[in-house]
């Protein structure tokens, strides 16, 4: 085989943590189209921060991917790509005949891995297993198809474990038992018999059966130039790389599988395993091989209590009782019990449109909502169903929760998670959350777990007289707060508390809150996010960062950990277009295109001019010796000096006159009399209401 037959493209991702998302949303359709145009046997291997893409072209063909990859670079989707030389490990895979089988397996497995990543990303409860389960089950299928007996399979696992050594430590028996079930389950039969978790994997399972059979055939005919078990062990390591299984998981799983067969120094070898025609995979979860979900959850909730996210025993009990990992089965346990979001659905551009929210935010909003046993609660935005499950625990047996989502797959995923958690006092409905659920009104509490720019009338109409509405409300520009509203004695909807918060917006309904993404640099490293109440001139802003620069320092200081949320709220109220998020990649800062933008990426614009906030360590400290940081403004564009000064002056006004005041919010109908103008009082009309923001 000549190297020219196998072009290799080394693809470097702009953000390694988003590599899989980019591969699913951009590389997968690109490869599908290229296959129709004659691309043969493509496959990939991971080597951070790159994926190495190998493929064959027909005789006399030319590489069809280069132009498409260059477009991805221009779009900022990938950082760069370079051609490379692919050198097949022919000896390791058993010689030329074994390498032919390997290339076909590489191709089929790569295709199935991308399909599985798409299922994990697009559905909150994908019809399949997690990485760890797949990692064990699929290759056990291949070894059985190759005719390896139980102890020969154990030898393959031992070879991999030797390549992935780990410090000796005791492994709980339940983990070996779970791995053993995966090693012996009759995956082929179950995938063709309607098993809900394995049916989508039928072709993938068949691929590994085929590979095992082909390698066994070559071995029988003396055409393998290396031992069958050694070849299989090498294939296993390559498959786990494509699957994205971390090295520590490879070590743990291969050790567990070896011990499931051979035993340990403390126990005897197990009895030979047979393909278990009655076992299912439903009871095998993605337990960390070191720590149980209960242990991880307990430790994580301890952190939420200690950092103040959880303030009441009622919310603490709910967070300790409802297992989050059942609602995000595609996530590793360690991520399920970390303070991070889990993206569960992406749009066509690879941007998340549904996710499991940060647990600290979930807890904070539950504290704001003040749910009591026996209440009836309406949630808008079912998501994974985890928050609805917590609400179900809080209202207890005599209460009820109804949650609504606009996407059928999300609704089904939430139902599955709630069923797995054993919560039967929660009803999940398909519909536009902005319409609420009048059939079961009134509600004691209504909680929106999606961002809204306006408050739908249905939410207010469906609340009980003493009810409370909690909504992450986008007030103006990009600035949002989670605000709790109740009726006062005069029937006005007044705030009873608010917290800084931003959620994914409502979609496809009467309160749809779309966003526009405007590139501010040719390489796509800086983007302006414009909201529906803003009117940016994308053409005028296209090269704004290359325009004349201005800089102003405000003298306004905050302590290091102190949030600038009230400063940002003031600026979004006082500036012509409010504030916008301006996410930037690291290279934009390293290249000097941006100068130390504040982490919240806060920008404002006016026609073809743009400014953003920055900060530096102040030359003095607070009275108690704490470090202070001064905010500044950097501007670009034809009116950079003027807009920079305007933003800096607004910051100084807040600092001098309004910094120590409380802020209240009110929802008014659009036909209400216009409020009297007073310093610190702002009124903004949206399509459904008027929102009053007042520094008191």
């Amino acid at each position: 085989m000549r190297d020219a037959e196998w072009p290799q493209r080394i693809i470097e991702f702009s953000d390694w943590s988003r590599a899989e998302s980019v591969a699913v949303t951009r590389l997968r359709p690109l490869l599908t189209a290229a296959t129709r145009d004659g691309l043969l046997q493509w496959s990939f291997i991971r080597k951070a921060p790159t994926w190495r893409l190998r493929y064959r072209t027909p005789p006399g063909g030319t590489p069809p991917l280069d132009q498409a990859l260059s477009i991805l670079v221009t779009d900022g989707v990938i950082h760069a790509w370079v051609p490379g030389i692919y050198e097949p490990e022919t000896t390791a895979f058993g010689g030329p005949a074994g390498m032919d089988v390997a290339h076909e397996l590489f191709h089929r497995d790569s295709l199935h891995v991308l399909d599985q990543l798409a299922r994990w990303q697009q559905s909150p409860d994908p019809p399949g297993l997690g990485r760890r389960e797949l990692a064990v089950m699929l290759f056990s299928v291949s070894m059985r198809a190759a005719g390896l007996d139980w102890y020969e399979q154990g030898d393959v696992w031992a070879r991999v474990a030797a390549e992935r050594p780990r410090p000796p430590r005791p492994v709980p028996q339940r983990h070996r038992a779970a791995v053993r079930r995966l090693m012996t389950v009759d995956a082929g039969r179950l995938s063709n018999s309607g098993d809900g978790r394995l049916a989508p994997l039928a072709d993938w399972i068949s691929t590994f059966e085929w590979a095992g059979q082909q390698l066994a055939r070559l071995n029988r005919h003396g055409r393998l130039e290396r031992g069958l078990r050694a070849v299989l062990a090498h294939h296993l390591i390559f498959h786990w790389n494509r699957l994205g299984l971390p090295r520590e998981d490879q070590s743990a799983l291969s050790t567990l599988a070896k011990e499931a067969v051979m035993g340990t120094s403390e126990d005897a070898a197990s009895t030979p395993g047979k393909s278990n025609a009655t076992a299912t995979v439903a009871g095998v979860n993605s337990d960390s091989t070191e720590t149980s979900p209960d242990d991880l959850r307990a430790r994580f909730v301890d952190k939420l209590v200690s950092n103040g996210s959880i303030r009441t025993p009622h919310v603490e009990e709910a967070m300790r009782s409802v297992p989050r990992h059942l609602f995000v089965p595609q996530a590793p346990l360690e991520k399920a019990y970390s303070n991070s979001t889990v993206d569960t659905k992406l749009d066509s551009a690879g941007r998340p449109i549904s996710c499991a929210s940060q647990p600290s935010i979930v807890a904070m909003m539950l504290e704001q909502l003040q749910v009591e046993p026996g209440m009836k609660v309406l949630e808008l935005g079912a998501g994974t169903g985890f928050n609805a499950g917590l609400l179900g625990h809080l209202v207890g047996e005599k209460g009820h929760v109804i949650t609504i989502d606009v996407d059928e797959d999300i609704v089904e995923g939430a139902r599955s998670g709630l069923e797995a958690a054993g919560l039967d006092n929660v009803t999940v409905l398909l519909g536009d959350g902005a319409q609420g659920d009048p059939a079961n009104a009134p509600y004691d509490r209504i909680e929106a777990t999606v961002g809204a720019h306006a408050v739908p009338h249905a939410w207010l109409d469906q609340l009980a007289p003493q009810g409370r509405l909690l909504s992450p409300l986008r007030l103006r520009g990009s600035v949002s707060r989670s605000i709790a509203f109740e009726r006062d004695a005069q029937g006005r909807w007044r705030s009873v508390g608010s917290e800084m918060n931003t959620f994914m917006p409502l979609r496809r309904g009467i309160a749809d809150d779309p966003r526009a993404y405007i590139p501010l640099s040719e390489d796509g490293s800086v983007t302006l996010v414009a909201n529906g109440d803003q009117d940016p001139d994308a053409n005028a802003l296209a090269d704004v960062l290359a325009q004349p620069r201005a800089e102003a320092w405000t003298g306004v200081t905050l302590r290091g950990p102190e949030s600038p949320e009230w400063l940002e709220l003031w600026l979004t109220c006082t500036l012509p277009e409010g504030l916008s998020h301006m996410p930037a990649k690291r290279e934009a800062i390293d290249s000097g295109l941006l100068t130390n933008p504040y982490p919240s990426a806060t920008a404002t614009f006016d026609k073809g001019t743009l400014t953003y906030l920055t900060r530096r360590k102040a030359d003095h400290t607070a009275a108690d010796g704490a470090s202070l940081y001064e905010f500044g403004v950097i501007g670009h564009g034809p009116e950079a000096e003027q807009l920079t000064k305007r933003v800096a002056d607004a910051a100084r006004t807040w600092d001098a006159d309004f910094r120590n005041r409380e802020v209240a919010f009110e929802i008014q109908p659009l036909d209400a009399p216009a409020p009297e103008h007073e310093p610190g009082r702002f009124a903004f009309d949206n399509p459904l209401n008027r929102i009053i923001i007042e520094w008191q």
Side-chain angles (χ1 to χ4, degrees):
M1 184 194 69
R2 300 183 304 275
D3 289 340
E5 292 179 332
W6 285 93
Q8 175 170 256
R9 299 298 179 255
I10 302 172
I11 302 169
E12 182 177 352
F13 292 89
S14 303
D15 180 353
W16 179 248
S17 68
R18 302 284 294 170
E20 288 188 348
S21 173
V22 170
V24 167
T25 58
R26 302 300 293 270
L27 287 181
R28 182 168 169 251
L30 185 157
L31 290 166
T32 300
T35 300
R36 290 195 298 266
D37 294 337
L39 192 71
L40 303 175
Q41 277 193 331
W42 59 266
S43 65
F44 67 85
I45 204 77
R46 307 179 192 223
K47 195 171 182 65
T50 68
W51 281 24
R52 298 181 178 185
L53 179 65
R54 292 94 180 246
Y55 56 91
R56 287 180 59 205
T57 56
T62 57
L65 295 178
D66 293 2
Q67 183 178 1
L69 291 174
S70 295
I71 291 173
L72 296 186
V73 174
T74 301
D75 291 346
V77 175
I78 61 175
H79 178 67
W81 71 269
V82 295
I85 298 174
Y86 169 46
E87 299 176 288
E89 297 180 31
T90 304
T91 300
F93 285 106
M99 198 69 237
D100 287 342
V101 173
H103 280 139
E104 183 62 23
L105 176 60
F106 293 172
H107 168 61
R108 296 192 199 179
D109 191 34
S110 295
L111 177 63
H112 288 302
V113 166
L114 289 181
D115 287 346
Q116 183 65 21
L117 291 175
R119 284 190 285 268
W120 281 333
Q121 291 179 18
Q122 293 172 3
S123 173
D125 186 22
L129 304 177
R131 289 178 209 259
R132 297 184 183 96
E133 293 95 340
L134 286 170
V136 175
M137 185 191 71
L138 285 172
F139 221 81
S140 296
V141 166
S142 197
M143 288 191 286
R144 289 200 301 271
L148 269 60
D149 67 28
W150 184 237
Y151 296 110
E152 289 172 329
Q153 293 175 44
D155 181 67
V156 173
W157 294 115
R159 290 169 187 259
V160 176
E163 293 290 329
R164 297 289 187 266
R166 63 192 299 230
R169 66 184 70 177
V171 178
Q173 180 64 36
R174 67 179 183 277
H175 293 143
R176 285 204 294 274
V179 167
R180 182 188 172 100
R181 289 199 299 276
L182 290 164
M183 294 165 65
T184 59
V185 67
D186 189 350
R189 185 191 67 80
L190 289 174
S191 67
N192 290 304
S193 65
D195 183 284
R197 294 172 70 84
L198 292 187
L201 309 178
D203 288 344
W204 204 358
I205 292 167
S206 295
T207 290
F208 277 90
E209 288 178 336
W210 171 87
Q213 292 164 357
Q214 292 301 308
L215 290 173
R217 180 181 61 81
L218 293 177
N219 191 48
R220 285 195 305 271
H221 293 284
R223 297 184 62 195
L224 274 188
E225 298 176 5
R226 192 181 184 207
L228 176 60
R229 279 175 264 167
V231 171
L232 284 165
H234 209 62
H235 270 294
L236 177 54
I237 290 173
F238 270 59
H239 164 62
W240 281 0
N241 174 284
R242 285 188 293 272
L243 191 57
L245 194 70
R247 188 181 180 92
E248 56 269 23
D249 284 353
Q250 297 181 29
S251 172
L253 288 175
S254 56
T255 299
L256 284 165
K258 177 192 72 173
E259 293 177 353
V261 177
M262 306 295 188
T264 67
S265 59
E266 286 77 33
D267 54 43
S270 67
T271 55
K274 296 181 180 179
S275 178
N276 190 339
T278 61
T280 71
V281 296
V284 182
N285 65 35
S286 300
D287 279 3
S288 163
T289 56
E290 299 302 330
T291 310
S292 73
D294 291 345
D295 292 338
L296 288 169
R297 183 165 66 255
R299 288 205 296 265
F300 181 58
V301 174
D302 288 344
K303 293 179 182 177
L304 294 178
V305 172
S306 64
N307 68 22
S309 297
I310 295 175
R311 302 192 299 271
T312 61
H314 200 31
V315 172
E316 179 182 351
E317 181 189 359
M319 294 292 285
R320 292 193 186 280
S321 301
V322 180
R324 188 179 188 234
H325 71 281
L326 296 180
F327 296 86
V328 286
Q330 72 275 39
L333 272 178
E334 293 79 3
K335 185 167 186 179
Y337 292 111
S338 66
N339 195 33
S340 58
T341 60
V342 178
D343 293 343
T344 55
K345 188 166 186 174
L346 308 176
D347 65 13
S348 58
R351 290 185 287 264
I353 56 176
S354 185
C355 72
S357 302
Q358 278 183 286
S360 60
I361 298 297
V362 172
M364 177 197 77
M365 293 183 69
L366 291 176
E367 296 287 5
Q368 286 185 281
L369 198 59
Q370 296 185 8
V371 176
E372 299 293 338
M375 282 185 169
K376 184 163 54 173
V377 179
L378 175 64
E379 181 196 34
L380 299 321
T384 64
F386 176 58
N387 190 70
L390 293 168
L391 290 170
H393 184 88
L394 290 168
V395 301
E397 294 181 359
K398 295 184 179 180
H400 193 74
V401 176
I402 294 173
T403 183
I404 303 174
D405 210 288
V406 72
D407 290 327
E408 187 170 358
D409 56 339
I410 292 177
V411 166
E412 290 303 318
R415 287 172 179 162
S416 297
L418 290 162
E419 181 180 359
L423 290 156
D424 57 7
N425 63 343
V426 181
T427 301
V428 189
L429 301 178
L430 177 67
D432 178 9
Q435 303 279 7
D437 178 39
N440 292 289
Y443 299 95
D444 301 295
R445 297 287 187 268
I446 294 180
E447 179 185 12
T449 54
V450 288
H453 179 47
V455 180
H457 300 150
W459 297 358
L460 303 176
D461 295 341
Q462 292 171 26
L463 266 174
Q466 304 302 317
R468 173 175 291 194
L469 167 68
L470 180 66
S471 175
L473 193 59
R474 187 177 66 77
L475 298 162
R476 189 165 186 254
S478 63
V479 176
S480 299
R481 295 192 69 81
S482 174
I483 307 175
F485 290 99
E486 291 182 357
R487 289 186 186 91
D488 66 9
Q490 289 75 43
R492 299 174 300 181
W493 289 101
R494 304 295 300 272
S495 62
V496 292
S498 77
E499 299 282 355
M500 183 173 64
N501 199 352
T502 300
F503 266 73
M504 292 178 183
L506 278 164
R507 296 180 290 117
R508 293 164 36 194
I510 61 172
D512 185 32
D513 189 19
R515 298 170 183 171
Y517 298 84
I518 300 170
L520 299 181
S521 60
E522 290 186 0
D523 62 0
S525 60
V526 187
T527 304
L528 184 73
V529 183
N531 296 277
D533 56 342
Q534 296 173 309
D535 186 24
D537 185 337
N539 292 329
L541 291 170
D543 65 344
V544 66
L545 296 175
Q547 298 297 313
R549 181 182 185 278
E551 180 177 315
W553 290 93
T554 64
V556 177
T557 59
L558 279 77
R559 293 169 180 262
E562 186 179 356
S563 170
E565 58 191 283
W566 300 113
L567 169 61
E568 291 178 344
L569 179 61
W570 177 266
L571 293 177
T572 208
C573 288
T574 57
L575 297 173
E577 291 284 355
L579 295 181
S580 293
H581 285 306
M582 188 184 69
K585 298 175 183 176
R586 184 72 228 178
E587 54 261 36
I589 300 170
D590 293 342
S591 68
L593 189 63
L594 298 178
T595 305
N596 193 28
Y598 187 68
S600 62
T602 306
T604 190
F605 59 88
D606 188 9
K607 301 182 178 65
T609 300
L610 176 135
T611 71
Y612 59 90
L613 293 182
T614 184
R615 71 171 183 172
R616 65 186 179 190
K617 193 169 184 179
D619 57 7
H620 61 285
T621 62
D624 60 1
S627 295
L628 295 174
Y629 292 84
E630 181 186 6
F631 277 82
V633 187
I634 293 175
H636 290 271
E639 304 294 329
E641 291 283 353
Q642 295 91 323
L643 187 57
T644 297
K645 181 178 184 301
R646 181 169 185 172
V647 176
D649 287 346
R652 296 185 190 107
T653 298
W654 168 80
D655 187 51
D657 300 331
F658 297 95
R659 180 169 182 163
N660 296 317
R661 299 193 191 187
E662 296 293 324
V663 181
F665 306 87
E666 182 178 345
I667 306 168
Q668 293 185 354
L670 289 172
D671 58 1
E676 295 182 8
H677 176 74
E678 290 187 14
R681 178 186 291 164
F682 303 90
F684 299 108
D685 289 357
N686 59 55
L688 300 177
N689 336 93
R690 176 175 298 142
I691 303 298
I692 306 296
I693 306 172
E694 185 173 5
W695 273 257
Q696 299 177 333

